[in-house]
Amino acid sequence: MLADVADVVARSHDLQETLGNVVELVVKKLGADVCSIYLTDPSLEHLTLWATRGLAPEAVGRVRLAFGEGLVGQAARERKPIAVERAQDDPRFRFFPGTGEERFQSLLATPLLVRGMPIGVLVVQTEQPRQFDTQDIDLLQTCAQLIAPVVMNARLLDLVARTEEERSRVVAKLVNSGLQLHGLRTAEQAPPPSVELRGSPTSAGIAIGPLYRLEDPVDLARLDYAPNPDEVQEKRDLQRAISEARSELDDVRDEVAERFGPEFAAVFNTHIQILEDKGFTGRVERAVEDSGNALQALRDVLDDYRQTFESIEDPYFRERGSDIEDVGRRVMARLLGVRHHNVPLQDGSIVVAKEILPAHFALLETEKIAALIAEHGGATSHGAIFARSLEIPAVTGVTGILEATRPGELAIVDGASGRVYLRPDAALRAEYERAQQRYELAAEHLDTLKYRPAETRDGRRILLTANVGLLNDLRLIEQHGAEGVGLFRTELLAIAHRGFPEEEEQERLYERVAKAMAPRPVTIRTLDLGGDKAVPLPDVTDEENPQLGWRSTRLMLSHEAPFRAQLRAILRATTRCNVRVLLPLIGSVEELRLARALLESAKEELCNRGVPFDRDVPVGIMIEVPSAALIAGALARECDFFSIGTNDLTQYTLAVDRGNERVAHLYDPLHPAVLALIDRSVRAASRAGIPVSLCGEMASNPLAVPLLVGLGIGELSGTPSAVPVVKEIVRALDAGKAAEAARSALEAATVEDSHAIAAACLREAGLLDHPDVGSWLRGLLGE
């Protein structure tokens, strides 16, 4: 619909035609009976009906109301949407005879805003009572954003035909609103207006800072490059770029070691060695002398190295060819930076990228990142999960963000609502600075209560653990009061190394985590690679649908040597008896048996070496494909615990790619089908007498918590920062009533029904009036 609206705006020849086409389109696409557009008159004090589809045509130009008059005028005055299921029963409703609107029940009005100034109102009405949901409101608001600049331009052009007195009065109003036109300046002279964009709320929090665009890696094969005509200077530029790349790698290695540990920093040693190698640098310098072109010199030398590495049979050494490529791209990026004066990543930067990928968190200076914005991706992609784990506010699926942003400009990111504001005015910035302070104070207060148990009002204890993947995350466990590690993701180390890490590196990492957490439990998941967490393995080729392909345990079963190495590394970290092994993406009993056989083989190897470990280490599986949930009874007889991974379980059950923003609205773990598979898994675990936890992002979803408690989940493992909020919800619940709500949700026909049941639980528990989380929960429920 938004694409069609944008097309209408682009094709229409004048304002009247544009508005007429828009109301026709909105009625058709939204299933409404009426769509009308009211615009402000030159005085900016009244609204006049300019276009309608559904009301009497003769009402156009005749219906006029003041700001604040009726529901439409109220939307203009308050500068926010108004949705009313039975409009005529609302005391603010203003009826205009002759319009024919007496037969319409529901009304949704949203203002057309330009830098906060209302210049019109977009309205839809329906004959049957309709409860407009958040998606309806968001859609109409975005339509209004597309129309508003067209209306504003028409208003500015209209000023030319006005008297000097009228012009002065209107311009004064616009200036006071923050537009700062300074007379009738041209669009080229005027400062770029503030822009509000919407995406998927991905990681809660508010950030205000300068924009930094994360460019795609330099493609040496397709790079458009013009060498310096002075061949001597071309060589000097290249030497300078190599020196800067070397210094940059030193800094990156030190920063990564400090944040994530030496295991993650070791990957940069190879890159540094290449740039320190006199053979490599000497060949590059001779090549640039011959060609007079730094890019061509890099290409030629890299091709020679690549061919050499590819001729080696050992996969470890073949993979080092990718390190050479990385070094070449880094040097070329520095050379382009010398020419183009790239702006470095500053403290408090808001990073804009095409997509948030897990690799970004291994290689970026995350302590400098205030927020992340991505043009593509959904709120449950693996990159988004890492953003939440590191408590970085993020919004994904923001269409057009790359084109709209200018590096260095100020922006606001509201990770809870999915709103992004580019070039905010002073009033909006002040409002969000206050909101930021309130958010931080509430979070600090909740952290002071972290030692209270997560226990329902009727005495049921819920274990609240955290999903982490970095040593740096362990401080967040302490800060927020998590009771252990419910899921330790091991793949980030592999992503940083662009391949399988060495056994000793893994053992040191797992040992440090187990030691830091002891005696609290630590559940270590074996490598969950593939899909959007791909690494360049020599025998792995691109797949048409990697999420349904060679990934996770399937991939590891085909790489027995590195799988056994990881299992040995995990076993060597079990001496404190607080570690559990978790196998991901198990879809059949056969897969479980094959994985357990490799684990037994790893145990035997360690026994033969005399290496101590916990011989009774619990082994569990993730329930994250429908087949596993459907045969949960058989699987429960052959493992020690279940951990339900609702991210993939939801994706596979609903056939929705969780990283695709086009279908993000269909991805909902509260879907009755997903709840039914969770219920089936919990019942199977109960019959087998094994514990069951839930480690998907659903565990951090306030709306889901009452239903999960009601379904009998004994452990919730989510984002560390979500633990205090989840604890407050658990402590306010009655487990018996939560069980009744869960049963009702299992019988629900629609996602909306299950959401309503969960919302009623929060409301009945008094959580909407909670001093720390109440306002946030009300916003989540649209109240």
Side-chain angles (χ1 to χ4, degrees):
M1 176 177 174
L2 297 178
D4 288 344
V5 170
D7 187 51
V8 162
V9 170
R11 286 190 292 104
S12 302
H13 296 92
D14 58 38
L15 182 60
Q16 193 68 58
E17 181 185 358
T18 298
L19 301 181
N21 289 337
V22 167
V23 295
E24 291 282 351
L25 182 63
V26 172
V27 163
K28 178 181 176 183
K29 294 287 187 177
L30 259 188
D33 299 304
V34 174
C35 178
S36 305
I37 296 177
Y38 297 78
L39 299 185
T40 56
D41 58 18
S43 69
L44 299 180
E45 295 174 347
H46 291 83
L47 293 161
T48 302
L49 179 63
W50 265 64
T52 186
R53 171 70 166 85
L55 298 183
E58 55 269 22
V60 172
R62 187 170 57 82
V63 173
R64 188 168 182 264
L65 43 85
F67 275 31
E69 184 179 3
L71 293 167
V72 174
Q74 193 81 7
R77 186 172 71 180
E78 294 184 2
R79 306 182 187 191
K80 65 181 182 181
I82 290 179
V84 183
E85 187 173 356
R86 296 187 181 274
Q88 296 183 39
D89 295 340
D90 193 294
R92 298 170 295 177
F93 181 74
R94 170 82 157 82
F95 175 68
F96 286 89
T99 59
E101 68 175 333
E102 60 270 11
R103 67 181 189 277
F104 302 114
Q105 296 287 329
S106 301
L107 179 144
L108 170 59
T110 189
L112 308 180
L113 299 175
V114 176
R115 299 198 73 179
M117 181 65 184
I119 59 170
V121 180
L122 177 61
V123 182
V124 294
Q125 294 172 267
T126 61
E127 289 191 18
Q128 297 298 320
R130 175 170 173 177
Q131 190 172 30
F132 294 102
D133 59 23
T134 303
Q135 188 175 338
D136 293 327
I137 297 170
D138 287 348
L139 184 57
L140 203 66
Q141 279 188 290
T142 310
C143 288
Q145 290 170 26
L146 293 171
I147 302 166
V150 179
V151 175
M152 191 70 235
N153 288 337
R155 279 285 172 266
L156 293 175
L157 292 172
D158 183 55
L159 285 177
V160 178
R162 299 284 162 184
T163 66
E164 183 64 32
E165 183 182 349
E166 288 176 321
R167 259 204 307 267
S168 299
R169 186 171 64 251
V170 174
V171 169
K173 283 181 174 290
L174 294 174
V175 170
N176 290 335
S177 75
L179 283 171
Q180 300 177 358
L181 295 176
H182 306 298
L184 290 176
R185 301 195 310 176
T186 63
E188 289 74 22
Q189 294 171 314
S194 176
V195 175
E196 177 186 345
L197 299 173
R198 297 282 186 102
S200 298
T202 297
S203 181
I206 294 169
I208 304 170
L211 290 166
Y212 175 89
R213 286 186 59 167
L214 186 64
E215 305 292 348
D216 291 336
V218 173
D219 187 345
L220 297 179
R222 296 179 176 83
L223 186 63
D224 183 16
Y225 175 75
N228 195 312
D230 183 341
E231 294 184 1
V232 174
Q233 188 60 45
E234 179 74 358
K235 180 179 176 180
R236 287 175 182 163
D237 284 350
L238 179 58
Q239 289 172 328
R240 179 181 171 186
I242 291 174
S243 176
E244 289 188 355
R246 169 70 177 77
S247 298
E248 181 183 61
L249 281 168
D250 268 336
D251 293 341
V252 170
R253 178 179 60 181
D254 293 345
E255 289 164 359
V256 169
E258 185 177 345
R259 297 198 322 267
F260 306 140
E263 297 82 14
F264 288 88
V267 65
F268 297 104
N269 291 337
T270 303
H271 295 188
I272 291 171
Q273 286 174 328
I274 293 169
L275 287 177
E276 288 180 337
D277 180 61
K278 287 185 169 59
F280 175 80
T281 56
R283 290 186 65 179
V284 172
E285 288 175 3
R286 288 192 296 273
V288 75
E289 289 172 358
D290 293 340
S291 65
N293 185 313
L295 175 60
Q296 190 59 50
L298 275 173
R299 282 174 176 164
D300 292 344
V301 173
L302 292 175
D303 282 344
D304 287 345
Y305 274 84
R306 188 187 305 108
Q307 290 173 14
T308 301
F309 281 113
E310 287 177 352
S311 66
I312 302 174
E313 290 188 7
D314 187 279
Y316 175 81
F317 290 102
R318 282 207 307 273
E319 290 162 22
R320 301 287 70 77
S322 62
D323 292 323
I324 291 286
E325 288 285 346
D326 284 346
V327 167
R329 284 194 291 266
R330 188 177 289 272
V331 170
M332 201 64 213
R334 296 307 304 174
L335 181 58
L336 294 173
V338 170
R339 302 281 170 80
H340 299 162
H341 307 290
N342 290 348
V343 178
L345 185 66
Q346 306 171 33
D347 286 335
S349 293
I350 294 175
V351 174
V352 181
K354 182 183 294 183
E355 188 174 4
I356 301 174
L357 299 174
H360 292 157
F361 300 96
L363 306 177
L364 279 175
E365 302 164 90
T366 52
E367 74 281 357
K368 291 185 177 181
I369 299 174
L372 288 157
I373 312 170
E375 179 137 359
H376 303 292
T380 53
S381 66
H382 287 107
I385 291 169
F386 281 121
R388 283 192 289 278
S389 176
L390 291 172
E391 300 186 4
I392 299 174
V395 179
T396 54
V398 185
T399 304
I401 186 68
L402 289 171
E403 184 177 348
T405 54
R406 301 178 186 180
E409 284 189 331
L410 191 73
I412 296 173
V413 174
D414 185 343
S417 69
R419 289 181 171 88
V420 174
Y421 299 94
L422 307 179
R423 302 177 290 277
D425 58 32
L428 184 62
R429 181 175 179 180
E431 177 186 341
Y432 267 93
E433 285 173 346
R434 290 191 295 271
Q436 193 175 38
Q437 291 174 351
R438 289 195 300 270
Y439 180 90
E440 291 171 356
L441 285 172
E444 289 175 9
H445 182 246
L446 287 176
D447 284 340
T448 64
L449 307 174
K450 62 185 177 182
Y451 296 111
R452 298 185 302 169
E455 186 174 277
T456 63
R457 291 192 329 214
D458 50 349
R460 185 170 159 217
R461 186 75 164 81
I462 306 294
L463 185 67
L464 298 184
T465 53
N467 300 338
V468 298
L470 305 166
L471 284 171
N472 199 44
D473 293 343
L474 301 185
R475 65 177 178 81
L476 300 176
I477 287 180
E478 303 297 342
Q479 177 182 335
H480 299 304
E483 300 173 87
V485 176
L487 171 65
F488 188 81
R489 304 183 180 97
T490 60
E491 50 275 1
L492 198 58
L493 184 60
I495 291 169
H497 279 262
R498 297 176 61 85
F500 297 121
E502 291 298 304
E503 180 177 338
E504 289 72 20
E505 287 181 298
Q506 294 186 76
E507 192 275 330
R508 285 195 298 270
L509 176 62
Y510 307 152
E511 167 64 20
R512 290 171 71 182
V513 174
K515 181 179 179 181
M517 286 291 101
R520 289 168 289 181
V522 174
T523 302
I524 300 178
R525 182 176 68 185
T526 58
L527 285 167
D528 184 17
L529 296 171
D532 66 344
K533 296 181 289 185
V535 293
L537 300 176
D539 53 348
V540 176
T541 57
D542 290 337
E543 298 178 292
E544 287 189 12
N545 193 339
Q547 296 291 354
L548 296 178
W550 211 24
R551 57 167 295 205
S552 202
T553 298
R554 299 171 183 171
L555 177 65
M556 297 309 298
L557 287 173
S558 302
H559 293 79
E560 288 192 8
F563 195 11
R564 277 202 303 272
Q566 182 181 32
L567 292 171
R568 289 194 300 269
I570 297 173
L571 288 170
R572 288 161 66 180
T574 63
T575 53
R576 293 174 180 80
C577 297
N578 67 327
V579 170
R580 304 192 300 178
V581 179
L582 180 60
L583 302 170
L585 210 76
I586 295 294
S588 66
V589 172
E590 291 84 356
E591 283 180 341
L592 174 56
R593 288 173 178 171
L594 286 171
R596 295 209 65 155
L598 286 178
L599 180 63
E600 292 305 313
S601 173
K603 287 182 178 180
E604 187 175 341
E605 292 176 54
L606 293 182
C607 284
N608 292 338
R609 298 180 199 171
V611 177
F613 64 92
D614 179 9
R615 294 171 186 257
D616 298 319
V617 57
V619 180
I621 66 166
M622 290 192 74
I623 303 290
E624 49 188 340
V625 294
S627 62
L630 293 172
I631 61 166
L635 291 168
R637 291 191 289 271
E638 304 205 20
C639 67
D640 302 311
F641 65 94
F642 280 169
S643 183
I644 302 175
T646 51
N647 301 339
D648 273 331
L649 183 63
T650 303
Q651 170 175 254
Y652 293 135
T653 302
L654 304 182
V656 173
D657 179 359
R658 60 192 176 108
N660 185 340
E661 68 275 11
R662 293 181 179 177
V663 292
H665 64 286
L666 299 175
Y667 180 94
D668 196 319
L670 268 67
H671 193 290
V674 178
L675 296 177
L677 293 178
I678 295 173
D679 179 58
R680 186 183 183 98
S681 303
V682 171
R683 290 178 181 275
S686 177
R687 288 193 298 271
I690 63 173
V692 58
S693 64
L694 188 139
C695 66
E697 290 299 295
M698 189 179 184
S700 303
N701 182 346
L703 205 57
V705 171
L707 301 184
L708 296 176
V709 171
L711 288 171
I713 301 289
E715 177 185 349
L716 296 174
S717 183
T719 304
S721 60
V723 168
V725 176
V726 173
K727 183 178 293 185
E728 292 305 300
I729 294 173
V730 170
R731 290 177 60 85
L733 293 174
D734 180 283
K737 291 182 178 178
E740 293 176 10
R743 285 193 293 272
S744 297
L746 287 170
E747 297 173 0
T750 67
V751 171
E752 289 76 13
D753 292 342
S754 61
H755 274 244
I757 292 166
C761 281
L762 297 178
R763 199 175 291 110
E764 186 179 352
L767 284 159
L768 302 195
D769 297 319
H770 191 285
D772 292 317
V773 301
S775 61
W776 179 53
L777 292 176
R778 287 195 299 273
L780 185 69
L781 301 180
E783 296 187 4

